[in-house]
């Protein structure tokens, strides 16, 4: 089933000029990039995006980090795009990520972990709308 998911190249990776290398890996893995833009989130926008994590102890630190500099947001399309992209990213904590995954290679810590990916179809729909509302992705 062809699906879409939201990917983010997080501020830690953009700052270290890893955007091109990550996009290369995305395309090599067979995703189509349906939309892409660079964003610098405000603290409030980062809080809105991570609303489900508001009660977590790292919420303040995470939203500070995500609003600390520009990020690149993308809509990726592929068969089973949601699980396929999460597999390419690897585990949240780079210490637990498998060899060959983006987080194993590029993440600096469990928080500064280079990429984001939606975790379910409903989340993907919400997250794509968060950044690409009104954009024709056809
Ligand atoms: P993901 O779906 O793999 O991105 O992981 P989660 O949805 O659980 O967490 C969202 C984001 O919060 C992660 O990608 C990390 O940037 C950050 N994060 C998750 N767990 C921790 C933690 O224990 N400490 C800190 N500081 N950040 C975390």
């Amino acid at each position: 089933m062809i699906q879409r998911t939201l990917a983010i190249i997080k501020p830690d990776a953009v700052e270290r000029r890893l955007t091109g290398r990550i996009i290369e890996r995305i395309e090599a893995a067979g995703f189509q990039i349906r939309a892409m833009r660079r964003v610098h989130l405000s603290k409030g926008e980062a809080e809105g995006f991570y609303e489900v994590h508001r009660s977590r102890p790292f919420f303040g630190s995470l939203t500070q980090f995500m609003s600390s500099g520009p990020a690149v947001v993308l809509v990726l399309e592929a068969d089973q795009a949601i699980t396929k992209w999460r597999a390419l990213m690897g585990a949240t904590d780079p210490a637990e990520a498998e060899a060959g995954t983006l987080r194993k290679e590029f993440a600096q810590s469990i928080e500064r972990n280079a990429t984001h990916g939606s975790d379910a179809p409903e989340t993907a729909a919400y997250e794509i709308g968060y950044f690409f509302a009104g954009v024709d992705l056809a």
Side-chain angles (χ1 to χ4, degrees):
M1 181 190 43
I2 295 292
Q3 260 181 350
R4 290 174 183 170
T5 190
L6 184 89
I8 305 180
I9 302 173
K10 293 185 178 182
D12 60 314
V14 172
E15 191 195 1
R16 288 181 294 143
R17 302 183 193 191
L18 297 169
T19 303
R21 287 170 68 184
I22 291 173
I23 288 175
E24 202 167 14
R25 296 279 294 274
I26 287 170
E27 293 197 313
F31 292 97
Q32 292 288 351
I33 297 171
R34 299 303 300 245
M36 176 165 73
R37 56 188 281 246
R38 178 175 147 123
V39 295
H40 189 156
L41 296 176
S42 67
K43 184 83 161 34
E45 287 167 339
E47 289 170 357
F49 182 75
Y50 279 116
E51 186 60 40
V52 294
H53 289 312
R54 189 171 284 277
S55 61
R56 308 282 284 275
F58 56 83
F59 182 74
S61 173
L62 172 63
T63 53
Q64 176 72 40
F65 158 56
M66 288 298 290
S67 59
S68 67
V72 174
V73 293
L74 310 94
V75 177
L76 305 183
E77 186 176 271
D79 186 46
Q80 302 293 340
I82 293 170
T83 52
K84 184 178 161 82
W85 172 235
R86 288 185 70 85
L88 180 58
M89 289 198 301
T92 309
D93 184 351
E96 292 171 10
E98 285 181 33
T101 62
L102 294 171
R103 283 166 164 174
K104 181 69 175 183
E105 193 171 342
F106 298 126
Q108 297 177 300
S109 69
I110 193 171
E111 180 172 282
R112 299 173 68 85
N113 60 359
T115 54
H116 165 86
S118 311
D119 63 2
E122 308 72 45
T123 330
Y126 172 76
E127 293 182 353
I128 290 170
Y130 201 80
F131 291 108
F132 295 98
V135 174
D136 182 7
L137 303 174

